[in-house]
Amino acid sequence: MDMLVNLNRLPALAVPEGVRVVRALPPDRQKILDFVARNFPHWVDECAMALNFQPNACFIAVREGRLAGFACYDATAKGFFGPIGVEEGERGSGVGKALLLHCLHAMAWDGYGYAAIGWCGGAKEFYAKCVGAVPIPNSEPEDSVYGRMI
């Protein structure tokens, strides 16, 4: 199911101690795609698309010089947040929430009023808790933008 977020009611940006969240830079493109391919192979194409924009629509979390996670927007469809992926050892540390908020704030700064979060699966509670996301009726994958996938 897809979810909807009101970008006018976002929590303030926050980043866990020892983590930097930044918009990805072109020189890091291959490192980011390699990280995604190793940890989240089904999201490589969407991440690559987000990295193609100028400015790109991909944020990364870095801890001690290594990638801890990534998040994108406008990758599958305009106004959509995702994908997001956090290294297994970083889950529950606040990295995912920081990446989510950076992307959603960027979308608000770009002029979006709302963001769709596509194909939430088991992360519905995370999105509801972090940013007040609510389910979009009739948005199961087959009824969503993802229903066009091969």
Side-chain angles (χ1 to χ4, degrees):
M1 126 179 343
D2 296 341
M3 297 183 83
L4 189 67
V5 178
N6 183 339
L7 298 179
N8 299 296
R9 295 180 175 255
L10 292 174
L13 292 174
V15 179
E17 181 83 23
V19 173
R20 281 185 313 124
V21 175
V22 296
R23 191 180 294 265
L25 288 174
D28 290 327
R29 177 188 172 83
Q30 196 56 56
K31 289 177 191 164
I32 295 165
L33 292 175
D34 289 347
F35 171 85
V36 175
R38 265 192 323 276
N39 296 285
F40 310 97
H42 45 289
W43 292 331
V44 172
D45 292 330
E46 288 168 291
C47 185
M49 176 59 77
L51 287 164
N52 284 339
F53 302 130
Q54 185 61 293
N56 71 61
C58 179
F59 283 82
I60 57 171
V62 180
R63 184 188 298 274
E64 298 175 2
R66 65 171 175 72
L67 277 170
F70 78 101
C72 304
Y73 65 96
D74 283 353
T76 300
K78 287 281 191 188
F80 268 65
F81 166 79
I84 182 173
V86 175
E87 186 180 55
E88 192 170 337
E90 291 285 352
R91 294 179 191 160
S93 71
V95 167
K97 182 177 181 179
L99 287 164
L100 169 65
L101 287 174
H102 274 73
C103 281
L104 294 179
H105 276 274
M107 292 177 79
W109 296 328
D110 287 348
Y112 290 101
Y114 296 88
I117 304 175
W119 207 333
C120 294
K124 290 180 283 196
E125 292 170 15
F126 169 76
Y127 293 122
K129 178 182 171 186
C130 290
V131 293
V134 295
I136 298 173
N138 302 313
S139 67
E140 294 303 321
E142 62 273 9
D143 298 319
S144 177
V145 67
Y146 300 101
R148 300 193 317 247
M149 289 176 30
I150 298 172

